[in-house]
Structure formats: structure tokens, C-alpha cells
Amino acid sequence: MAVLNFGSLNIDHVYHVDHVVRPGETLAGRGYRVFAGGKGANQSAALALAGAPVAHAGRVGRDGRWLVDGLSALGVDVAHVVVDEEEPTGHAVIQVEEESGENAIVLFPGCNQRIAPDQVRTCLSSLDIGDILLLQNEINGISEILSEAAGRGLRACLNPAPYGPEVADYPLDRVDLLIVNRTEAVGLCGDPAVAEEAEVGQLLAGVRSRVPEQTEILLTLGAGGAVLDGPAGRLCSPALSAGAAVDTTGAGDTFIGYFLAARLAGAGDETCLRRAAAAASLCVTRPGARDAIPRRDEVDCFLGGGTP
Ligand code: RIB
């Protein structure tokens, strides 16, 4: 069974700051580094580092070839990444707070938003019935890709991040596994009475009302762990800690890649959630997005009680 991840590739410009800049304020950054990122590329990297076979489809400008080479070096099949001769690669301006490791991100989509219908058709025709298509929300054409995938009998996994109002109009009935964090769950609930602090049961009920019964929902809650809700019931899993958070960028992507990789390897849901939590907890102890994703042996070592 193959996984094709159709998603963004970004160049991340990361500034370390005392606090996220306020309106009207000019703030001196304490440090600046450029990293490989993009939710799509991060998730492909996590799948590959977890040992899963994965192909990535997407679009970069000429300035982004190094992102593609980096993914390829990790073992990701990049044959479906197109180099756009006209538009630059997408980029993110990321502020990371020194003390908490929390971030704030401004995204410039660049050619992530120039996915053309013929690229979609070519990529999806390389898959077989039952193969997995993974999507986030940093490229254009999500509705069309989901519809095309359903027509081809693919299993779709959607992480609608970053959340925007357009997500409510996506054909979510075509999604087999929907992965959301609190913000995305609140957005999907579409009910002003459901706020970020809502109880998990309320959040899941709201999201469930948007998708069919057979769709699995994976709700990630950061330090609150994760909940998998599907036809087999509801399973809660705690977060793990591998040390102080330095940079939380890419932790969610790491969780998703490791969760799917464990599933593909045939692990039970509890194991999948535990491996994902372990990988995400290691990720936050390191700077950057893709560069912070741990290798499989580091996750094994952490779960075995050792220090990676
Ligand atoms: O999820 C983290 C990613 O979000 C960053 O790498 C950045 O590129 C943004 O897309």
C-alpha cells in the first residue's frame, strides 16, 4: 500500500523573540535561521523518518530545489514535485518565543497555490485502489483532489491546517481520517458557543456532525494528548515529555507522520498514538521543523526509557 502526500513545501524564516510582536511594535529578534518546512513536506519527512514508504507531490520555485533534495535524501519519492519557473517557493515567517517555544506564523503561499488539475490527475493516477492520499490545507484545489481521490477509490486523510473558512466547504464526506487540533476542531464546529476551551466531548460532537459515521477523527490536544474517535470507539492517549520545549514548530506534523507510519506498519491504535506522541515530544526539544523530526531509532530509544 502506498502513501502519496499532496502538500506544501516552504522555506521557514525563523526568528527567536522574547514575545510575539504586538501591533505597532518593532522588535529585535534574538536569532535568525532558515529551515526547511511546510506542513506537507514536514509530514512526508516524518513518514519517511518513521520508516514508511511515501511519495510527495507539490510545487516549488527555483529557489526551493534544496527542499526537494532534502526530502529525497530522507527517502521520500519526490518524482511528483514540480519546479515552477515563474513563482517563488512558499515561505513562512515564524516567531518563536524564547521561553515557551510557542510560535506565531505568517505564511506566503507562493507556488503551493499553483497546483494545476493536470498535476493532480497525473499524481493520483499513479495510485491503486486502497492507497492513501494525505492532504493538509496549504495548497489549492483540496476539494477537487478529494473528489478525484474518491472517484479512484483512494483512502483520504485530511489535516485541514491551517484552518480557514473554506474548509467548511470541502467535501468532508470523502475523508476517511480527519486529523484536527483544537483550533481546527473549533472552526469545523462552526458554533460560536464552542470555544477553544470547550470540552473534548463537545469538540468531537461538533466535528462528528460534519463527517459521516465511518470517518475516523483524530483530535490532537498538545499537552492534553490525543483522542481517536471512530467506528471502533473512542481511545484517549496522553502526551509524553522528552524535555523542555525549544520550538514547537512541526510537532503536529511529526505526530501525524508517525501516527500514519505506525498504522501502515500494522500497529494497533494505542501503539500508533504512543509512537506519535513520543516523536512529537522529541520534536519540540529541537529547533526548526523538518530538522527537528526524530528518526525511528530515536523514538524507539525514548520509548524504551533511554536518551536518544
Ligand atoms: O506546521 C509547521 C509548518 O507550518 C512550518 O514548517 C511552516 O512552513 C508552516 O507551514
Side-chain angles (χ1 to χ4, degrees), residues 211-230:
V211 294
E213 226 173 274
Q214 69 274 15
T215 300
E216 281 187 295
I217 301 169
L218 175 54
L219 174 64
T220 59
L221 299 161
V227 186
L228 184 63
D229 183 83

Side-chain angles (χ1 to χ4, degrees), residues 1-5 44 47-48 50-56 75-77 132 261 264-265:
M1 186 191 311
V3 183
L4 176 80
N5 181 9
S44 285
L47 273 151
V54 54
H56 190 90
V76 178
D77 174 354
I132 294 172
L264 281 167

Side-chain angles (χ1 to χ4, degrees), residues 232-245:
R234 195 172 284 184
L235 181 64
C236 300
S237 177
L240 299 173
S241 173

